[in-house]
Amino acid sequence: MDSEILQFTPFASFVHPSFWHKLSENKLNVDKLCDSAKKIYGFYSNIDASNCLLEVEYTAFNQVFEPPKNCFNAYGVLHNKNTIEDFKNVDKNRILQEEGNQIRLLVDSGQCLRDPSLLANFLILSYADLKKYKFYYWFAFPAPAEANLFTSKPATKISDTFSGDQIKEIQEKYLDIEDTKFRSFFILEVLTNGFKTHQLSDLISTSDKEKNLKGIDVQKIYFAFSDPSENPNPGWQLRIFAAVLSHFCPILCGSVINFLAIRLKRQMTIDESIVYVARMSEKPIDFSNEIKWIGWEPNDHGKYVPRIASMANSMDPEKLAETSVNLNLKLMRWRLVPELNLSAISDTKCLLLGAGTLGCSVARNLLAWGVNCITLVDNGNVSYSNPVRQNLFKHEDAEFARPKASTAAKRLLEIYPALNTKGITLHIPMPGHPISDTTKGNTVKDIETLEKLILEHDVIYLLMDSRESRWLPTVLGAFHGKIVLNAALGFDSYLVMRHGTRKSPQEAIDYEKYKRKGLKCIPGDLLGCYFCNDVTAPGNSMRDRTLDQQCTVTRPAVSNIAGSLVVELMTTLLQHELREFAPAFVSAASAKNAEDSDPIPEGILGILPHSIRGVISSFEQILPATEKFSNCIACSQKILEEYSKRKIDFILDALNSSKYLEDITGITEMMKESHEDIIECLDSDLELSE
């Protein structure tokens, strides 16, 4: 028996699902691409112990860790790699030695005597595939390879060594140790009239190892520890405990000593505890020098390979979608644009007026940018010609003539269940479309609903298929200081633009620092809107339309291009330090060629134009910028003041006669003064359009 090596029960890892959730969250929000070692915590218990488990859960990442009641600290290190290749190629022996050396320093310094819980250690090597929610991991429980004990006689239950009264007293002494770190490893001394417990540092010193335990009857001492093993063999931590005793107490080397493995039942009794009598190795283990460490955990089949945990089925599908959407965006920020403020985009509430070809394209691109709130407004139903171009609809939607807005919102939820979205069927009143007494009540309700929606959102997208339907949202957006974005289509052309803001900055903006040689700088509050280039009010463009004019007839890709650009225009605007007050630039009259001009200033996502005009037939794109028109029928001060005074009555007058807008803005008078020039301009436009 004396020659047999005492076998230890290795720790078995148990990973709570919450650990993987927290690891994912930390990887996305804290660690990002950093794969350096991180301190974590685990715990084990000796109450009704099962399989010598060492557990980790979401609390493992806490800066200040408190183990569950009646559990003991375990100190860990997490090596989470960025790629599966990094995970596979890690030198396993090297990182085990590195972590073992950290333990070696704790022992050699004597810190483990003052806090014996430091002797319970582990490390995790992992890789988190956050797209598929698979986690590859491998635990190790470092222990010195040379830390051996030799059985002197068979292990016995505590009742075979002590009487019932003695066991009761030992139990009381054990439970009286309030701090679990001193209960994890301690020394039990047998006195003539009872027992006494000692912390390790009470009897063991770092100053003179030769004197440690000298003069003490070792047979009357039990080196005790809280044992999570349910097997006849002691738990893994006895291995390092024996090594520490060998290091600090050379007098014990070659001696037969007593170990007491404390095992509790739910009733907090120690009747299942085990006494081991074992002989120490002849040679002390010197933690001052390099020593070899072992401890990688085998899998359930006894093979020394990593394990895989798949959490895709157990994690909330909505949370999975939300995290996956954020993953792509955060990868962009980590690798390419560290200054990218994703919350400025995700927290923006977007109102899409129009759920057709443009609306569907814009909505999909907003999803990709992580926008969490999208409201769609449309008055139409899905027709058979829609699904091939409008990517949120299916053939069956046309069969049942489903409302576009609510159907598009439903499809967005199918794509991204965590989205806050709704679709509203609403008619947007338009100038030049007179209303009767019978429809006045419904029209007023529509106006009030539209204004309420604009107030509730941050960015308003104008994506309708007629010019006049854009007028009222433009007025309301300007009046309430919202960001208004416009996208309009031709057969092979498109216009994407941001409306100049009509609200005042909270603090004066120094635009001088944005000025560049050869460029005219137009501040954001001086930029024009969609109607600023017009000298006529919008009329009824729906009247007397032929079949080809009743539909938006464009080359198929134009809507996707414009829908993508208008969303990119929004994200670029939101990332600019001045947001809607950001200036736009055009070549100054003094600049004769490109060499006379500085480059347009860029934000973190590039330049921020006022408008983008593209022509697919020639694959050309220009970035014009125009100043606001003082007589604009939508955003001029005269219009906003009139709306402020008369509200609904003003809008009703504009609906019944588009001439009314020309009169109050002074366009009528202006046209009288330069009638011939205006007519020539309009004639020229007509010739060009033909």
Side-chain angles (χ1 to χ4, degrees):
M1 291 293 294
D2 190 57
S3 61
E4 290 186 9
I5 296 177
L6 179 63
Q7 301 297 315
F8 304 99
T9 302
F11 271 122
S13 62
F14 184 86
V15 185
H16 292 256
S18 62
F19 177 85
W20 302 124
H21 285 260
K22 192 65 178 178
L23 172 61
S24 302
E25 180 183 327
N26 282 0
K27 183 62 179 172
L28 288 172
N29 300 317
V30 181
D31 298 337
K32 303 174 185 177
L33 294 179
C34 176
D35 64 354
S36 58
K38 301 289 186 300
K39 289 184 178 180
I40 58 173
Y41 298 91
F43 59 89
Y44 63 94
S45 175
N46 66 335
I47 300 178
D48 282 341
S50 175
N51 295 326
C52 205
L53 292 182
L54 189 147
E55 306 178 51
V56 291
E57 57 180 19
Y58 71 98
T59 58
F61 300 92
N62 290 356
Q63 290 186 346
V64 178
F65 178 75
E66 287 292 334
K69 188 177 180 181
N70 295 317
C71 291
F72 302 90
N73 268 5
Y75 296 85
V77 176
L78 173 67
H79 295 262
N80 188 49
K81 298 301 176 182
N82 284 324
T83 67
I84 189 66
E85 289 77 16
D86 288 345
F87 174 80
K88 291 178 179 178
N89 294 332
V90 165
D91 186 335
K92 313 299 188 300
N93 290 328
R94 180 182 60 79
I95 65 168
L96 184 60
Q97 286 300 124
E98 288 175 353
E99 299 309 328
N101 286 336
Q102 295 302 312
I103 301 171
R104 182 175 62 82
L105 295 176
L106 291 175
V107 175
D108 190 47
S109 67
Q111 193 173 346
C112 66
L113 299 177
R114 299 183 289 275
D115 181 1
S117 67
L118 294 170
L119 296 177
N121 286 271
F122 66 99
L123 72 87
I124 306 176
L125 173 63
S126 65
Y127 163 65
D129 184 345
L130 298 185
K131 290 189 175 181
K132 298 179 180 178
Y133 277 84
K134 285 187 175 181
F135 299 88
Y136 300 80
Y137 68 100
W138 200 349
F139 272 75
F141 306 99
E146 300 175 4
N148 292 320
L149 291 172
F150 302 90
T151 56
S152 182
K153 64 179 183 178
T156 60
K157 283 192 173 183
I158 191 173
S159 57
D160 294 333
T161 303
F162 300 103
S163 67
D165 289 340
Q166 288 177 315
I167 293 173
K168 186 175 180 181
E169 183 180 353
I170 295 172
Q171 178 179 300
E172 291 175 352
K173 295 286 186 184
Y174 175 75
L175 297 176
D176 283 343
I177 304 174
E178 295 183 1
D179 195 332
T180 55
K181 72 180 181 182
F182 297 123
R183 199 189 289 179
S184 56
F185 299 90
F186 62 98
I187 296 173
L188 178 71
E189 183 180 5
V190 182
L191 305 175
T192 55
N193 57 349
F195 300 90
K196 183 178 181 180
T197 59
H198 300 276
Q199 297 179 22
L200 299 186
S201 57
D202 292 341
L203 301 181
I204 301 174
S205 166
T206 59
S207 57
D208 191 347
K209 298 176 184 178
E210 298 297 330
K211 292 183 178 180
N212 284 333
L213 302 181
K214 196 170 185 178
I216 296 177
D217 187 352
V218 177
Q219 298 307 310
K220 300 232 178 133
I221 284 200
Y222 288 79
F223 296 97
F225 64 101
S226 297
D227 187 12
S229 173
E230 63 176 342
N231 301 317
N233 298 326
W236 188 249
Q237 69 269 46
L238 177 55
R239 181 166 198 147
I240 193 168
F241 189 23
V244 169
L245 293 175
S246 169
H247 174 72
F248 285 112
C249 307
I251 195 173
L252 296 179
C253 292
S255 301
V256 174
I257 59 176
N258 304 310
F259 293 97
L260 176 59
I262 304 288
R263 302 179 181 182
L264 289 175
K265 301 299 289 181
R266 286 292 170 191
Q267 300 79 14
M268 304 303 284
T269 60
I270 64 169
D271 297 336
E272 298 298 319
S273 299
I274 304 290
V275 173
Y276 297 94
V277 180
R279 179 174 58 81
M280 297 278 285
S281 297
E282 298 286 343
K283 183 181 179 181
I285 296 177
D286 188 0
F287 280 87
S288 302
N289 300 320
E290 289 285 336
I291 56 178
K292 184 179 179 181
W293 295 81
I294 59 173
W296 285 107
E297 179 186 23
N299 67 7
D300 294 336
H301 302 290
K303 296 182 178 180
Y304 286 90
V305 293
R307 304 182 186 211
I308 302 175
S310 177
M311 301 299 295
N313 294 329
S314 63
M315 296 182 78
D316 187 308
E318 292 191 11
K319 288 293 183 183
L320 277 173
E322 182 178 352
T323 307
S324 297
V325 167
N326 291 335
L327 172 62
N328 289 330
L329 297 172
K330 288 178 178 179
L331 285 173
M332 184 193 310
R333 184 177 65 188
W334 299 346
R335 292 188 179 277
L336 301 173
V337 194
E339 307 90 349
L340 188 63
N341 182 358
L342 292 176
S343 62
I345 300 171
S346 62
D347 295 343
T348 297
K349 298 176 181 178
C350 296
L351 176 64
L352 278 55
L353 301 180
T357 311
L358 276 170
C360 290
S361 176
V362 168
R364 289 304 304 265
N365 282 288
L366 289 175
L367 282 187
W369 266 111
V371 172
N372 289 321
C373 179
I374 301 174
T375 302
L376 299 108
V377 172
D378 202 292
N379 193 43
N381 298 324
V382 182
S383 65
Y384 287 106
S385 64
N386 293 153
V388 293
R389 295 190 183 217
Q390 300 174 10
N391 55 28
L392 291 177
F393 304 130
K394 300 189 292 187
H395 177 73
E396 67 179 56
D397 300 325
E399 284 187 292
F400 295 99
R402 289 170 176 154
K404 282 189 174 182
S406 57
T407 304
K410 179 183 176 183
R411 294 286 182 270
L412 291 176
L413 284 175
E414 291 174 359
I415 297 166
Y416 182 31
L419 181 67
N420 176 14
T421 185
K422 60 183 175 181
I424 298 172
T425 299
L426 178 71
H427 172 70
I428 297 178
M430 298 176 278
H433 295 247
I435 59 171
S436 63
D437 291 338
T438 56
T439 59
K440 181 177 178 180
N442 288 334
T443 301
V444 170
K445 287 182 181 178
D446 289 341
I447 295 170
E448 291 173 343
T449 300
L450 179 61
E451 183 165 29
K452 183 174 182 291
L453 287 170
I454 287 175
L455 281 168
E456 292 172 347
H457 293 78
D458 306 307
V459 175
I460 317 302
Y461 282 89
L462 307 186
L463 310 169
M464 301 83 105
D465 59 1
S466 69
R467 175 172 172 263
E468 61 266 32
S469 61
R470 300 166 191 261
W471 176 79
L472 182 55
T474 298
V475 173
L476 296 175
F479 183 79
H480 293 294
K482 301 296 181 176
I483 296 173
V484 180
L485 302 174
N486 216 314
L489 307 177
F491 163 65
D492 64 352
S493 61
Y494 55 85
L495 166 67
V496 169
M497 71 181 301
R498 57 178 170 121
H499 289 190
T501 184
R502 296 299 172 259
K503 69 179 183 180
S504 301
Q506 294 181 347
E507 298 180 0
I509 299 173
D510 180 15
Y511 283 102
E512 288 295 324
K513 69 176 184 178
Y514 294 98
K515 291 185 177 180
R516 296 293 186 273
K517 175 187 173 184
L519 296 175
K520 182 179 180 181
C521 175
I522 307 175
D525 55 350
L526 296 182
L527 292 170
C529 77
Y530 180 71
F531 294 93
C532 279
N533 292 328
D534 294 334
V535 290
T536 57
N540 189 347
S541 64
M542 312 297 288
R543 183 184 298 154
D544 299 328
R545 278 188 169 187
T546 61
L547 177 61
D548 65 305
Q549 294 170 329
Q550 294 171 25
C551 302
T552 305
V553 180
T554 68
R555 291 173 63 168
V558 175
S559 61
N560 290 318
I561 295 171
S564 300
L565 287 174
V566 75
V567 172
E568 293 300 323
L569 186 62
M570 181 198 78
T571 55
T572 306
L573 176 69
L574 295 177
Q575 297 302 310
H576 196 284
E577 59 181 345
L578 298 182
R579 285 175 61 97
E580 59 265 49
F581 294 101
F585 299 85
V586 288
S587 294
S590 59
K592 297 179 180 179
N593 52 56
E595 295 178 356
D596 294 332
S597 300
D598 291 334
I600 295 176
E602 296 187 5
I604 64 171
L605 288 180
I607 65 172
L608 178 58
H610 175 216
S611 58
I612 308 165
R613 291 180 180 268
V615 181
I616 299 300
S617 58
S618 59
F619 292 99
E620 290 180 323
Q621 189 169 272
I622 60 172
L623 307 177
T626 55
E627 296 184 67
K628 67 179 181 180
F629 178 38
S630 60
N631 298 89
C632 178
I633 49 87
C635 72
S636 66
Q637 194 61 32
K638 296 174 184 177
I639 291 292
L640 299 183
E641 287 176 357
E642 197 68 20
Y643 175 72
S644 178
K645 293 175 186 175
R646 302 182 59 223
K647 297 288 184 180
I648 295 291
D649 290 336
F650 160 72
I651 295 174
L652 294 176
D653 286 344
L655 302 183
N656 287 319
S657 173
S658 56
K659 188 73 174 170
Y660 169 71
L661 295 174
E662 296 177 358
D663 291 341
I664 65 171
T665 57
I667 288 179
T668 303
E669 191 67 28
M670 185 176 65
M671 291 178 70
K672 286 180 182 178
E673 294 176 359
S674 51
H675 181 69
E676 293 182 1
D677 292 339
I678 295 292
I679 292 299
E680 287 178 7
C681 177
L682 293 175
D683 286 345
S684 176
D685 286 344
L686 287 171
E687 289 172 5
L688 286 172
S689 67
E690 292 176 351

